[in-house]
Amino acid sequence: MPGPFTITYFPVRGRCEAIRMLLADQEQEWKEDVVTMELWQKGELKKSCLFGQLPKFQDGNVTLYQSNAILRHLARSFGLYGKDQQEAAQLDMVNDGVEDLRLKYAQLIYQNYEKGKTAYVEALPAQLRPFENLLSQNRSGQAFIVGDKISFADYNLVELLRNHLVLAPGCLASFPLLAAYAERVAARPHLHTYLQSTAHRDRPINGNGKQ
Ligand code: 6SG
């Protein structure tokens, strides 16, 4: 049996919200160890972290760093890694694509928001198109990003799409499959409950107040 789970992270959604969405949807509980910037700047915790960064994740006596490794670990624990090796490989591909976009998003938010937002939003359709295309190839876009069962990549992709809907509310208007998919996944009962909770809603998306 996996768990108990502890997430150690800053008081933001950031790189942990897809992990939280996965856990909530899988009806798991977890503890939040919230790290304020004041505490982080003392440096002791940073020194103790493998790569000097958060999130840190504990599953029983297993300690992990790297948000995507945490997602994949939970995917293996809860059967969210596809039905066979081929689906697993496709999910890895999708998740790497999500990571590429997440890095661009984080760069905009943390380094170039005021100057870069217009160009970022203009370039966004080209970034989202691959996911719409992939969806269309799987059950005409009526299921999940790969296969017919939810996976870790769905949580990660939907979380990033939702952030982009805050950044640019119309960004999915020309991607009907992606828009419907994001809504369908977010409407899963346990996930919906989590997304409606103050724990989620009151947690800022990013650490600098930009969104
Ligand atoms: C920041 O980059 O939150 N970790 C971040 N920053 C602090 O000293 N590849 C790995 C992974 O996927 C990337 C980890 C990631 O897990 S996440 C980290 O540890 C450091 O490097 C984004 C995030 N940013 C908010 C933040 C924390 C410290 C500075 C910015 C919030 C804002 C200001 C204070 C607290 Fe703040």
Side-chain angles (χ1 to χ4, degrees):
M1 271 296 284
F5 303 114
T6 301
I7 291 173
T8 304
Y9 196 48
F10 308 108
V12 301
R13 297 184 197 167
R15 286 193 162 273
C16 279
E17 210 55 27
I19 296 166
R20 296 181 179 112
M21 286 166 60
L22 182 158
L23 287 170
D25 195 49
Q26 299 299 314
E27 300 177 72
Q28 299 300 306
E29 292 182 357
W30 69 94
K31 182 178 163 235
E32 294 278 355
D33 195 345
V34 181
V35 177
T36 61
M37 205 52 202
E38 195 188 0
L39 175 66
W40 186 249
Q41 276 167 351
K42 293 198 170 119
E44 285 305 308
L45 176 59
K46 184 175 174 73
K47 253 191 259 172
S48 77
C49 294
L50 181 61
F51 298 104
Q53 291 193 310
L54 297 176
K56 167 182 173 177
F57 186 80
Q58 284 155 299
D59 174 356
N61 49 28
V62 177
T63 298
L64 290 173
Y65 300 92
Q66 295 290 358
S67 56
N68 287 295
I70 297 162
L71 276 175
R72 288 181 160 99
H73 169 69
L74 292 170
R76 285 185 288 266
S77 302
F78 293 109
L80 308 170
Y81 219 131
K83 73 168 175 356
D84 56 22
Q85 211 184 333
Q86 185 183 326
E87 283 192 3
Q90 287 174 312
L91 287 169
D92 280 344
M93 177 182 76
V94 171
N95 202 66
D96 282 10
V98 173
E99 174 63 17
D100 284 353
L101 183 55
R102 190 178 290 282
L103 286 169
K104 291 183 179 115
Y105 172 79
Q107 203 203 2
L108 170 75
I109 293 289
Y110 288 106
Q111 290 169 35
N112 198 27
Y113 190 84
E114 285 73 21
K115 278 196 194 154
K117 182 173 171 180
T118 303
Y120 185 92
V121 172
E122 271 170 23
L124 196 48
Q127 301 296 319
L128 297 174
R129 170 70 57 195
F131 298 108
E132 177 85 1
N133 289 347
L134 194 59
L135 255 190
S136 74
Q137 291 161 23
N138 182 32
R139 314 241 187 282
S140 309
Q142 302 309 303
F144 298 98
I145 195 70
V146 170
D148 40 28
K149 198 172 162 283
I150 198 159
S151 74
F152 73 102
D154 289 302
Y155 299 114
N156 202 16
L157 176 54
V158 169
E159 200 275 332
L160 191 60
L161 291 175
R162 290 169 64 85
N163 295 346
H164 280 86
L165 283 168
V166 174
L167 179 77
C171 71
L172 295 185
S174 44
F175 301 115
L177 298 179
L178 219 40
Y181 155 82
E183 283 191 15
R184 198 162 63 241
V185 170
R188 291 165 64 87
H190 299 290
L191 184 52
H192 177 78
T193 300
Y194 173 67
L195 292 172
Q196 294 301 314
S197 70
T198 53
H200 170 76
R201 293 173 61 153
D202 293 350
R203 190 181 278 129
I205 300 177
N206 301 303
N208 60 357
K210 294 179 186 167
Q211 61 178 33

